[in-house]
Amino acid sequence: MNHATHSARTARAMFNLLSILGIFTLCTAAISCRRPSVSSINWYDARGSRLNFTGSFQGADEAGFDVRGEKKRYILDSPVKVPDGYATRLLVSSLSSGAQFLVNFGDDKNRGGSLMCTIPSAGSYAFIIPSPQSRTLKWIEIKAVTINALSPAQSSQSNQGGYPLAIQEIRLVPEMRGFLLQGDTSEISSQFTRNSQNGSYKYSISSPFEGLSQAVCAASQLDVALTGDAGNVTVFWGNQKLTYLHRGGNSAFSIPNGLLEANPKVITLEAPAGIRIEAFCVRPVRKVDELDRIDPGLLVNSAPLTDKPFYLARWDIRPDTLIFLYKDYATQDQYLKRLAFFVEKIGYVGKLASDSEIAEQHGWNAHDYRPEDIARFFEMAENQHFPLSKEELSLRDILVKAGILIARGSNFSAGKGAIVSISQESPIYLQYRFLSHELSHALFFTDTRYRDLVLSLYQRLTDDEKWFLIRYFRWMRYNVDSSYLMANEMQAYLVQQPLKDIQNYFLETLGPTLAKAHPELSGTIDAYMSQHLSALIENARQLGAYLRASYGLEPGMLYKMK
């Protein structure tokens, strides 16, 4: 045997063994130095899928903090893209008040920012963390700044391992700016502040739309939810001041971005101490294919309609009612004038009038219609091949989409709800009055109990008590042969102003108006007001009681925002 050959083989075998051992040693070192995967905290992307991530921290606990200066970093295995309009929601729980912690965050190139979070009292909190400019998130780091030690009793009752502060969840969510109470969790963004002054609270959202894309801004609205005592809440939307009447208990309203001043720099809400705020936040929750749901009083404060003929929304407390705000009377006429003559005008009821027939005649300054009449109008136009205008055809398509009309081929039938309209050309005080008037018609059309009450009250009136109503509405060119229409108009004229103003409205406005048109009736009008006006005022009281009990509304203010 060749000893040289044997020695060479032995040397190669030893080299291979050492190489294998070396590789094993390197692999073991790499595995032992790898950061541990985090299992006690869930991190979700925008679709709700759980993300894998590791942690960099001292000690065995992944989520708890009990020492000032303690720091934990959570690092995604792969960076996650934060979609447009989304942010990171960091859910934490605290067993004591006054805890503070610093949140640092960044992308895979360590570009990011920081946010100081303060917990006012023990509980569950969700802090909205903005996204890095790259909209890519790789890591989040939490550093305890102020930690108050727990008492033995607090530690024994804790379900978070005796830690004063603990991270519960990280999740990408549609970005919320402001404050939102969800169950027992208070959700807060960095733009939100709260201050107390003279027995009231002032809440603010600074830069509510700053840094958001045009699409996200367009989809955003302010949501407010209130509970507690009755009272007025004041909202400052940029330079516009609005007052909301909270009737007590629970109430809510929304303001779509763009309806008022576009993209204000700050939104503020002021409320007395007895009213608690459960939501005051801006969120991108509006959907392109759905109409806004608003308090109708917002329409009077809306921005001028310069580049579109109308704004359309649903009534928040009666969503089957569509509310049109037209930019002027002429535009409103293009959509609704022929329909007005078809439904209500003496000599034209049930007839499709040509443009030339009604061109010199007045329609209405504000409108209201029920589905049954709208369906008859479009059904007749279809059967007679009547040339409707492009605006009327557009209206038909809108009402079909909204469910007011039901289309089956070329046939139309009544859906559910009602439509009302006002115009920005009306003076502000008249817009408010027209709103109450037209909204009362919508209630008459859509609320069976209210309609039954109105019809009952009208039928109980004697012929003498109905006299002025019929004479006045005949002069207004209503179809007075319809007791349904007369009852409907009676209630609208009774609830369009506050109860305290009804007597003067009839004595100083309606009575003199009819007397001027028909001087021969002056004495009879005076006698009516003296002998029978009280019957109408009593009807108004009963209608007001129903509005108050059913909707928290009052005659003269069938809206809560002004």
Side-chain angles (χ1 to χ4, degrees), residues 246-391:
H246 174 61
R247 294 289 185 183
N250 299 318
S251 69
F253 63 90
S254 299
I255 303 179
N257 185 32
L259 179 58
L260 309 179
E261 173 189 345
N263 303 332
K265 294 182 178 179
V266 63
I267 302 173
T268 301
L269 185 147
E270 296 179 357
I275 298 179
R276 297 184 300 279
I277 308 300
E278 295 192 338
F280 176 56
C281 60
V282 170
R283 297 183 290 177
V285 295
R286 299 168 69 191
K287 297 180 180 179
V288 175
D289 58 345
E290 292 184 6
L291 296 174
D292 297 324
R293 297 188 179 194
I294 65 167
D295 181 272
L298 284 172
L299 296 178
V300 182
N301 296 278
S302 64
L305 294 167
T306 56
D307 59 346
K308 53 185 179 181
F310 61 83
Y311 170 77
L312 175 60
R314 293 187 182 273
W315 190 2
D316 57 355
I317 65 171
R318 298 292 303 187
D320 53 355
T321 296
L322 302 188
I323 311 172
F324 288 84
L325 173 67
Y326 287 96
K327 68 178 183 179
D328 51 41
Y329 292 143
T331 302
Q332 185 173 239
D333 280 352
Q334 291 173 338
Y335 288 85
L336 297 173
K337 184 176 181 179
R338 198 188 327 270
L339 178 60
F341 278 78
F342 178 87
V343 174
E344 296 176 340
K345 295 282 190 175
I346 291 178
Y348 294 90
V349 173
K351 175 185 175 183
L352 294 171
S354 65
D355 291 342
S356 59
E357 286 181 274
I358 60 177
E360 301 302 320
Q361 299 193 55
H362 177 63
W364 302 124
N365 292 340
H367 295 254
D368 63 89
Y369 303 103
R370 61 176 181 163
E372 293 82 358
D373 293 328
I374 299 170
R376 287 192 301 109
F377 175 82
F378 285 110
E379 180 78 359
M380 183 178 290
E382 189 68 28
N383 292 338
Q384 296 182 4
H385 304 290
F386 186 89
L388 296 175
S389 69
K390 64 178 183 180
E391 289 83 8

Side-chain angles (χ1 to χ4, degrees), residues 106-117:
D107 59 17
D108 51 352
K109 296 182 180 179
N110 286 328
R111 296 170 300 185
S114 61
L115 181 69
M116 181 66 76
C117 301

Side-chain angles (χ1 to χ4, degrees), residues 231-247:
N232 288 335
V233 169
T234 304
V235 176
F236 294 90
W237 180 279
N239 295 317
Q240 289 182 267
K241 179 181 177 181
L242 306 166
T243 300
Y244 177 81
L245 178 58
H246 174 61
R247 294 289 185 183

Side-chain angles (χ1 to χ4, degrees), residues 82-89 128-131 135 137 171-176:
V82 182
D84 187 29
Y86 277 69
T88 302
R89 181 180 187 264
I128 304 300
I129 311 301
S131 299
R135 303 209 65 82
L137 186 62
R171 183 185 292 268
L172 299 188
V173 296
E175 184 167 2
M176 185 281 299

Side-chain angles (χ1 to χ4, degrees), residues 420-433:
V420 302
S421 78
I422 63 171
S423 167
Q424 288 188 327
E425 188 172 338
S426 300
I428 296 297
Y429 81 95
L430 278 181
Q431 288 187 47
Y432 280 122
R433 176 163 290 183

Side-chain angles (χ1 to χ4, degrees), residues 461-487:
L461 294 175
T462 66
D463 289 345
D464 289 341
E465 290 168 340
K466 292 177 183 176
W467 177 84
F468 179 79
L469 294 176
I470 293 173
R471 289 307 302 256
Y472 183 82
F473 292 139
R474 179 180 290 123
W475 171 74
M476 288 283 290
R477 301 194 60 78
Y478 281 102
N479 177 22
V480 297
D481 293 332
S482 169
S483 59
Y484 179 93
L485 178 60
M486 290 298 94

